[in-house]
Every structure is written in C-alpha cells, then in structure tokens.
Amino acid sequence: MRPVTAGRRPCVVGVGETRYARWGGIPETSEYQLALSAIVGAVADAGLSMDDVDGLASFAEDRNEATFAAADLGLAELRYATLSWLPGGGGACAAVANAAMAVETGAAEVVVVYRSLCQGQFHRFGQGPGGRPPAGPARTPGLRKARTLLEAHVGFTMPFGMFSPPIAYAMVVQRHMHRFGTTEHQMGQVAVTTRAHAARNPRAVMGTRPMTMDDYLASRFVSEPFRLFDCCLETDGACAVVVTTSERALDLARTPIEIVGHAQGTPRGFGHGQYSNVSMPDDDYTSAGARTVADRLWASAGLGPADIDVAEIYDHFTGLVLLSLEDFGFCGRGEGGPLAASGALAWPDGALPTNTHGGSLSEAYIHGLNHVVEGVRQLRGESTCQVDGAETVLVTSAAGVPTSALVLGRP
C-alpha cells in the first residue's frame, strides 16, 4: 500500500443521488440542476455544509463546469477543480482517485465528485455522434461543446456502419466468442442477475420489470451478438460522492469508507478503445483493456482478487463484464462466461456478488459513478442486496476504453 501521511488517508464520507429516469424522463429540470442537487445531497449525507467543500471533480467532458457550480453552490473558496481525461465511463473511478490524491496532498480538504446526465436534453449515447446540438437554454455551461476528437475517430468508421458503441463493442465480443466459446446464455446470465438485484432497489429504473432468461433470449438483436438486454440503459439523473481525510472523518456521523487503492490509464496504443484499436494484438483486442490497470490497482491496495467481497463492475454491455472479470483476475482468459454461468455473480449466494444495485443494465446509466455509490452503501451496510460482512469492494469504470478502478474498504 502506498505511504500516506497519518490522518490524511482518503475516505468517502457522503453519497447523493437524484431520482433516475429513462432518457427524457426528467423534463422539468436541467442537467446542471441535477448535478447541483446530487452535490447538495452528498454533502448533507456527509454531515457537512457547503462552507466545508473546497474541491470539485468530474469526468467524461462533463458539461457542468466546476467554476459555475462553485459559485451557484456558494462555496467559500474553490481550491481544487479537475476533470479526468479518460473517455466515457472510464473516468468515474479516476475522478474519485483524483479527489483522493487532492486530500492526501493537502491540495483540498473536502472534494465532491459528481456526474450528471440528461440525455433527453443532449445527445443519446445509443445514437451516432455528430449533428447540431439541440436548442436549449444557454444557461447550462458547455451546452454547445463539440466532441471533435471522437467525431474525427468515428468519421473513419461510420462509412462502414460502426456508428455507435453497441456496434463497436459487438466486434470485440464476437471475437471473444470465436476464440473462447463464450455464449449468449453466459451473457444473458449477467443481464438476468443484475435485473434480479434491481428488483430489490427502489431507485432502479428497471426495478419493477422482472426478466427471465427466456425474456432475454426473446429480445431483439441490436448488434449481434448484443440483444436489447445486453445493452445498458439510457437514463437521466445525477449522483455524487464526498471525499475527505480520515482525520476530518472522525468528526462526522457517517462511517468513513476508505479508498484503499486506485489506478487509472490505458495500455500502449489503445487510443479511444474500440473505435481506434483495431490493430491491437488479439489478446488485447479481446480484453477489457484493463490488465495493466488491474495489476497496478492490486499493488496499490496491497490486495488481490481473492480478497474482494463485492464487485461493482462497469456494465455498459454484458459481454464486457465477462472480459473485466478476466482482466481483474477473478478467472483466467476465456473463463468469464463460465464464471457468470455458475451463478457466482448473484446475490446472496454467489462467490462474487456483482452489481448489487442493478448496475448500468438495470439501475441507471450515470457513467458508472452510481457503481461507486453502491460500493459505499455495501460497506455501510445499506445496500438493498447487502452482502453479509462485506469489508472490501472493487469498483471498475468502463471496459474497452481507457479505464480506472478503485478498491474501497471498511477502515
């Protein structure tokens, strides 16, 4: 474990969420207002006030700029503001790690990490990029920010039909199926398991919609081998977590959840992932692209896969969950499918209960920051699928693009 000055070990002390809804389902508010609401909720959950907050962090080209948020929230002083460069959901754990490093070094004392999405007002992730931004109030910071680099990458692939993430990731999973015999039933087990977890979670968008394996197999193909229920939701909502030092946490009512280890990054030549890594070696192409991050994460935490009680694994697509299980060492190459089929991911009896809130497939797609929120709830003993005696949680952010991960633990 990396050395940290006594008393400055980083902890998560508060979490906050807005309600979650299918895309376009929260028309009465803006993405910016959702972000502020989640921040306010997380700070209140921590037992702090806005006067205590001096840092803000986010990721994935967040449109809700920290300087505007600091002014509107009434922060006494903004000492630290950062945005992870890792694309899409790859930056969720990285943003928490950046906050952790800020409090470790004394750059800030209390940092709130936040993410807000309002796909009804902006771009739907299931559609190809490009086009004119929708009309809307100019008050929302960054409303017309162009995604020029991603659009440039996709400009080379769209003529051949690769215009959205399900198509890009389908190629990787097809290759994994060809090499290792991964099956649609194994991917379906991920979808059915997380839906069962969501049924216990009142916040889950799909919590009232049970799903069987027959339902999964009857769903239409989006991009073979991905069926409709292999793909994450498109949702509106926001969540936030508060990071501070272990010393500051002693004065708070909430049990502090320690950030035991963190890592972020990407292997050589990976670029933006599936839109630009088609010349990668086969072992890298048919992976989550997280093996080097995983190695550094376990070294940072001083732990290994066998020490993890619960996993919150980024699930934009079911097949990428299987690849992440392999990259983070819970099974060997090509064994992610059989591991899922064994029931290992299911609460309460599985060996590795995974995405106990329902994940991006069934709770909400908030670029993976809700996975961090669920990890904190597990260690507080507040999950709707509570794992008895949970002391360690792995959280991962994205797969198939530059990524990040955390190990959280009870102090």
Side-chain angles (χ1 to χ4, degrees):
M1 187 177 295
R2 59 192 190 286
V4 179
T5 303
R8 297 209 67 87
R9 191 169 300 283
C11 301
V12 177
V13 294
V15 297
E17 296 169 291
T18 66
R19 73 180 179 94
Y20 299 137
R22 300 293 290 271
W23 71 273
I26 312 181
E28 69 274 13
T29 190
S30 71
E31 184 178 89
Y32 184 60
Q33 289 171 312
L34 290 173
L36 298 185
S37 294
I39 293 169
V40 169
V43 172
D45 182 64
L48 295 166
S49 74
M50 285 301 163
D51 286 341
D52 297 307
V53 177
D54 58 359
L56 295 170
S58 191
F59 59 99
E61 299 180 327
D62 196 300
R63 288 176 284 259
N64 308 292
E65 297 178 20
T67 50
F68 288 93
D72 289 339
L73 291 166
L75 270 59
E77 182 183 15
L78 182 65
R79 297 175 55 203
Y80 177 84
T82 189
L83 188 74
S84 170
W85 282 97
L86 299 184
C93 290
V96 178
N98 291 344
M101 289 186 282
V103 302
E104 282 179 2
T105 60
E109 293 297 320
V110 177
V111 181
V112 183
V113 181
Y114 63 93
R115 185 67 175 136
S116 177
L117 290 175
C118 231
Q119 295 186 62
Q121 298 170 359
F122 295 97
H123 175 81
R124 287 188 63 192
F125 288 116
Q127 297 173 328
R132 188 173 57 188
R139 176 67 188 87
T140 303
L143 176 63
R144 298 183 178 276
K145 184 175 182 180
R147 301 171 67 204
T148 53
L149 289 177
L150 178 56
E151 289 172 2
H153 278 298
V154 180
F156 288 100
T157 59
M158 285 185 69
F160 304 97
M162 188 190 288
F163 58 81
S164 68
I167 299 171
Y169 288 106
M171 295 178 64
V172 175
V173 175
Q174 282 277 30
R175 181 62 181 165
H176 194 272
M177 296 172 81
H178 173 77
R179 289 189 67 190
F180 302 112
T182 304
T183 70
E184 61 180 2
H185 284 80
Q186 292 167 349
M187 293 192 294
Q189 192 63 50
V190 175
V192 171
T193 297
T194 52
R195 183 66 63 87
H197 296 166
R200 300 176 57 87
N201 178 3
R203 297 177 299 275
V205 170
M206 302 298 283
T208 59
R209 301 185 184 187
M211 180 172 61
T212 66
M213 182 62 75
D214 287 342
D215 294 329
Y216 165 82
L217 293 172
S219 66
R220 64 178 173 84
F221 280 114
V222 173
S223 179
E224 196 170 354
F226 291 153
R227 299 177 181 274
L228 177 65
F229 296 134
D230 287 306
C231 304
C232 67
L233 300 170
E234 293 188 276
T235 45
D236 296 349
C239 54
V241 300
V242 180
V243 178
T244 190
T245 65
S246 54
E247 182 178 35
R248 185 67 174 270
L250 293 175
D251 298 327
L252 304 178
R254 286 291 196 179
T255 299
I257 303 306
E258 185 177 343
I259 300 172
V260 179
H262 55 79
Q264 57 181 288
T266 182
R268 181 196 300 269
F270 209 73
H272 198 279
Q274 309 316 325
Y275 291 108
S276 56
N277 72 346
V278 291
S279 61
M280 298 291 287
D282 209 9
D283 281 347
D284 291 329
Y285 185 72
T286 54
S287 77
R291 285 180 291 175
T292 56
V293 168
D295 289 344
R296 289 187 284 108
L297 175 72
W298 300 131
S300 170
L303 300 171
D307 300 307
I308 298 300
D309 297 320
V310 189
E312 310 297 344
I313 293 180
Y314 196 90
D315 53 337
H316 45 350
F317 303 102
T318 56
L320 274 297
V321 173
L322 307 181
L323 274 59
S324 293
L325 291 168
E326 296 172 11
D327 276 15
F328 281 89
F330 294 102
C331 58
R333 295 283 292 140
E335 297 175 357
L339 180 64
S342 74
L345 311 186
W347 179 91
D349 298 322
L352 183 69
T354 298
N355 294 353
T356 46
H357 53 325
S360 298
L361 291 167
S362 287
E363 186 195 42
Y365 183 67
I366 311 296
H367 259 154
L369 191 57
N370 52 321
H371 290 52
V372 179
V373 171
E374 173 65 9
V376 172
R377 285 202 168 105
Q378 276 288 346
L379 296 173
R380 286 178 171 181
E382 298 173 353
S383 174
T384 53
C385 289
Q386 183 60 48
V387 175
D388 291 341
E391 294 187 354
T392 55
V393 175
L394 168 71
V395 186
T396 72
S397 291
V401 295
T403 187
S404 56
L406 300 169
V407 173
L408 304 175
R410 291 182 61 83

